[in-house]
Amino acid sequence: MSKIPIAIADCNSFYASCERSMNPNLKNKAIVVLSNNDGVIIALNKEAKDLGIKNFSPYFQVENIIKYNDVKVFSANFSLYDEISKKVMNIFKEYSPNVEVYSVDEAFIKLDGFERLGITNYCHKLRQDVLNRTSIPISIGIANTKTLSKLANRLVKKDESYEGVLNLMDFDNIDHFLKITEIGDIWGIGRRYQKMLNSYGIKTALDLINMNDKWVRSKMTVVGLRTVQELRGFPTIPMNYSRANKKMIMYSRSFGHKLENIKDLEETLAYFTCRAAERMRNQSSAANYLTIYLRTSSFDKNIKRVASDYTIKLPTPTEITSELIYYAREALYKIFKENTPYSKAGILLSGLMPIYETQQNMFDVLDRTKHAKVVKAMDIINKKFGTDTIKSATLGVNRPWTQKQNRLSDNSLHNKEKNIYSESTISFLT
DNA sequence: TCTGGGGTCCTAGGACCC
DNA sequence: TCTGGGGTCCTAGGACCC
């Protein structure tokens, strides 16, 4: 059987490239993008890396480098990034009917059927096309397994002479590429496994493929074994075209400043619950479990570290915001401690199931059909006019947890066009 | 002063049943 | 008194990903 080429196309420094694509003056400028709380760097382009800035550095630690070198700084603007992501993915789909969108900035593309055009050339063309039409530079790795194409993709980013595309299927023997890939750079091998494998003297991808299957299985479960087989050129991780519904939905944020007052936390969690419930209804799911968690800062040495959570099994699976808020509050009261400077909270909705499969409990005190209609109407209005145009009264107006986000790029055109930032949303973002 | 957010899959072990 | 053995479901925790 002939081997099927799979490409992974990945946008370079995606968020930074997006900001640059909106503003041509940023060409050749170092750019960093900050997390939701303007706390850490979550994206940076090559120019910024060359200055010695590292991803996930707290902003204050690199502030001097940034000021001294006139690095451009942006608060993350995820709706903009989603928009550009869609454009890029749509171009991929023009080049193959079989595209698996793997994350906001990368996709696997199955390329069987295009061999006569020359797979490597075809991908060079795709890359140029994306650059011309979106200003987003991408890198493409190609192989006959996902893990090998990821490996090729890494190598592309390290070596400019590939001009953005490396096809391992162009080589009879790929040992060289396996040998220059460190164990921790393999897709599917994280820090823990890296450490473990290193302790056995296994340093490169080539070392790993020579290990015995049983040994791998016992040390790294079937997941690790699949990775090894893929590195050997046997596909074991299938393409996954349709993104299934989420099995759990989380909403959590760090606060702009610490919260100690239970009323503030109540309001905060009500807001978080509201957002999580919206996402859940978006995929027509209802939750069986609700978990609340609270954290103090893990960086502040002067206070006792607190990380508590509490899970409630809901009496009936539900997607109704007001009901979820009620239980979120109950969970909060279980774990809240006085005189504790909480810095982060979150809600997790799990045990998700399709709404239509939920069964009415005969002794239910709520008229679910009626409530369901109300939340549905709220979703429609909020989608149209912006987050929180209509909202539950519990949410209050204070936004005690408000985040800092001082450096949103002025993409007013984008915002107006999509009507994504309503007045109320802006007030909570800024 | 300021330290991200949101997911997936697998396994072991306990509860419970026959 | 004996404390087997197979099966299922659930959950916590550990690993990973972007």
Side-chain angles (χ1 to χ4, degrees):
Chain A
M1 209 182 77
S2 66
K3 296 179 168 184
I4 294 173
I6 297 171
I8 178 98
D10 165 295
C11 303
N12 303 344
S13 314
F14 184 55
Y15 299 161
S17 298
C18 287
E19 296 295 349
R20 178 135 76 188
S21 78
M22 299 304 291
N23 182 352
N25 294 333
L26 296 173
K27 204 171 177 182
N28 301 325
K29 289 266 195 307
I31 299 171
V32 300
V33 177
L34 300 182
S35 67
N36 251 323
N37 225 3
D38 284 357
V40 300
I41 288 163
I42 55 166
L44 68 171
N45 63 359
K46 189 169 179 307
E47 287 83 347
K49 278 178 202 155
D50 288 345
L51 293 170
I53 303 172
K54 293 219 160 54
N55 212 3
F56 299 111
S57 304
Y59 175 69
F60 75 92
Q61 278 178 9
V62 288
E63 204 173 0
N64 281 339
I65 307 181
I66 283 172
K67 285 192 172 140
Y68 190 76
N69 295 284
D70 189 31
V71 176
K72 303 298 172 197
V73 181
F74 296 92
S75 301
N77 185 348
F78 293 109
S79 64
L80 171 70
Y81 309 149
D82 279 344
E83 192 78 359
I84 295 175
S85 172
K86 283 200 188 88
K87 279 185 195 159
V88 172
M89 298 299 163
N90 283 333
I91 297 176
F92 293 165
K93 286 172 188 165
E94 293 174 20
Y95 281 74
S96 166
N98 300 315
V99 174
E100 174 190 337
V101 176
Y102 180 66
S103 74
V104 68
D105 69 337
E106 61 190 299
F108 288 102
I109 308 171
K110 204 167 133 217
L111 290 168
D112 53 325
F114 299 97
E115 287 87 350
R116 72 204 146 75
L117 302 170
I119 298 294
T120 311
N121 275 337
Y122 192 60
C123 287
H124 274 293
K125 222 181 105 190
L126 167 59
R127 177 170 174 271
Q128 194 58 50
D129 200 11
V130 171
L131 189 61
N132 293 345
R133 290 158 68 183
T134 65
S135 306
I136 303 292
I138 66 174
S139 302
I140 304 180
I142 309 149
N144 76 311
T145 72
K146 284 181 162 180
T147 307
L148 283 174
S149 65
K150 282 286 246 182
L151 185 148
N153 185 284
R154 279 196 84 89
L155 296 175
V156 167
K157 291 218 172 82
K158 283 189 181 167
D159 187 340
E160 283 180 23
S161 70
Y162 292 122
E163 294 178 343
V165 181
L166 171 60
N167 183 358
L168 294 184
M169 297 176 83
D170 289 342
F171 301 84
D172 291 332
N173 186 323
I174 60 165
D175 283 1
H176 162 70
F177 300 108
L178 297 176
K179 198 172 179 178
I180 60 173
T181 300
E182 283 176 31
I183 213 82
D185 288 341
I186 298 167
W187 185 52
I189 303 210
R191 302 169 75 108
R192 292 305 252 271
Y193 283 159
Q194 175 182 21
K195 211 174 152 197
M196 185 276 290
L197 290 167
N198 282 170
S199 79
Y200 286 96
I202 302 164
K203 299 264 162 40
T204 70
L206 189 62
D207 295 339
L208 184 59
I209 66 167
N210 289 318
M211 299 308 290
N212 168 286
D213 281 4
K214 272 208 183 109
W215 187 86
V216 174
R217 160 83 227 231
S218 74
K219 294 284 181 197
M220 305 164 72
T221 81
V222 295
V223 183
L225 185 56
R226 280 202 279 264
T227 297
V228 172
Q229 279 162 344
E230 287 241 319
L231 286 172
R232 291 178 184 145
F234 302 108
T236 57
I237 305 176
M239 293 287 282
N240 182 7
Y241 300 115
S242 60
R243 268 282 176 259
N245 279 346
K246 307 246 180 294
K247 295 171 180 171
M248 53 177 67
I249 287 171
M250 156 117 68
Y251 193 99
S252 74
R253 290 286 185 276
S254 301
F255 311 143
H257 57 89
K258 313 257 186 287
L259 298 183
E260 292 195 28
N261 180 323
I262 194 160
K263 288 289 162 202
D264 287 346
L265 286 164
E266 227 177 276
E267 226 176 274
T268 300
L269 282 170
Y271 180 84
F272 289 8
T273 305
C274 197
R275 295 284 83 82
E278 266 171 15
R279 282 187 200 162
M280 185 168 69
R281 289 194 295 271
N282 238 324
Q283 59 169 46
S284 301
S285 296
N288 273 293
Y289 299 92
L290 177 153
T291 304
I292 290 299
Y293 74 84
L294 298 175
R295 302 264 185 281
T296 56
S297 169
S298 48
F299 300 97
D300 191 340
K301 303 272 183 292
N302 302 318
I303 56 164
K304 199 174 117 213
R305 260 179 87 171
V306 176
S308 39
D309 53 76
Y310 192 84
T311 300
I312 289 178
K313 168 135 180 60
L314 301 164
T316 307
T318 183
E319 80 285 10
I320 295 163
T321 303
S322 51
E323 192 182 7
L324 291 165
I325 288 176
Y326 171 84
Y327 289 107
R329 182 170 177 275
E330 207 171 273
L332 168 65
Y333 274 78
K334 294 274 187 195
I335 53 177
F336 174 80
K337 295 266 185 305
E338 295 284 350
N339 303 317
T340 309
Y342 292 108
S343 65
K344 182 177 181 178
I347 176 172
L348 176 69
L349 300 174
S350 59
L352 303 192
M353 62 191 293
I355 291 176
Y356 61 80
E357 278 178 19
T358 59
Q359 283 190 349
Q360 285 272 357
N361 178 338
M362 274 178 69
F363 306 102
D364 215 336
V365 287
L366 269 177
D367 180 350
R368 281 168 201 288
T369 324
K370 196 177 106 194
H371 274 82
K373 278 184 188 154
V374 173
V375 288
K376 210 167 181 178
M378 280 172 66
D379 286 344
I380 290 168
I381 292 168
N382 285 337
K383 223 175 222 171
K384 195 157 178 182
F385 299 104
T387 310
D388 280 349
T389 305
I390 299 188
K391 63 187 181 185
S392 161
T394 339
L395 299 185
V397 287
N398 301 326
R399 301 243 181 267
W401 59 285
T402 301
Q403 297 195 322
K404 289 183 284 289
Q405 202 161 18
N406 299 321
R407 301 158 176 279
L408 270 180
S409 55
D410 179 27
N411 294 310
S412 47
L413 239 179
H414 167 77
N415 298 339
K416 206 187 289 171
E417 179 193 12
K418 294 305 297 174
N419 200 8
I420 277 166
Y421 292 122
S422 72
E423 294 248 283
S424 59
T425 319
I426 286 186
S427 70
F428 101 75
L429 286 172
T430 48

